[in-house]
Amino acid sequence: MKIVRVQDIIGTEREVSAQQWTSRRLLLKKDGMGFSFHETIIPAGSEHTFWYKHHLEAVYCVAGNGSITDLATGETHQITDGTLYALDKHDKHILRGGTEDMRLICAFNPPVTGQEVHDEDGAYLPDTEGN
């Protein structure tokens, strides 16, 4: 059994901040769960283009508001507390913070290692290392 408290991650190597967002990696590949699990904070008014070409992601909003635009269809969806979106087709998207910071709970498959950085497309490169 694993017990992870977000307050124990803040300020460690499992808390990553860049491009006006903060991700707290609660579970990583090395934890052996087959997915990674994160808490991500998207500041109000910020805008981010992401395209997880090598990962699937499910995201559940637990606080705040914003929107997501699917760049393939042009559709924009509002995100509020209680909204889940799943990037089940490696969807390229724009995530926008609304009037309040968004607190998102995210799961990635395959799991991230914690060392990834976004490339020029907003994607994480695939993990080329074994377990």
Side-chain angles (χ1 to χ4, degrees):
M1 179 181 300
K2 296 180 186 308
I3 306 296
V4 182
R5 291 180 175 83
V6 75
Q7 63 265 29
D8 296 334
I9 289 172
I10 294 171
T12 73
E13 70 282 351
R14 285 190 179 227
E15 182 180 49
V16 178
S17 295
Q19 303 172 5
Q20 297 185 343
W21 54 262
T22 299
S23 177
R24 297 171 180 140
R25 280 83 188 268
L26 298 149
L27 293 173
L28 293 169
K29 179 181 179 181
K30 67 183 175 184
D31 294 309
M33 296 292 294
F35 60 91
S36 57
F37 197 74
H38 315 204
E39 175 187 74
T40 299
I41 307 300
I42 301 294
S46 64
E47 183 174 303
H48 314 272
T49 300
F50 296 124
W51 184 18
Y52 296 117
K53 297 180 274 189
H54 310 288
H55 296 83
L56 298 174
E57 183 187 25
V59 179
Y60 184 67
C61 179
V62 296
N65 62 64
S67 66
I68 186 169
T69 299
D70 182 333
L71 291 176
T73 66
E75 291 180 288
T76 297
H77 305 275
Q78 296 306 305
I79 300 170
T80 58
D81 181 10
T83 302
L84 177 133
Y85 65 88
L87 303 170
D88 60 339
K89 296 178 181 72
H90 304 279
D91 311 273
K92 188 172 187 178
H93 61 286
I94 297 174
L95 186 61
R96 293 179 183 91
T99 59
E100 305 171 15
D101 291 355
M102 274 193 294
R103 183 169 163 242
L104 306 171
I105 305 302
C106 315
F108 278 87
N109 182 16
V112 301
T113 65
Q115 302 305 308
E116 293 82 0
V117 293
H118 289 99
D119 69 11
E120 64 278 355
D121 289 327
Y124 289 144
L125 295 177
D127 178 20
T128 56
E129 297 179 18
N131 293 326

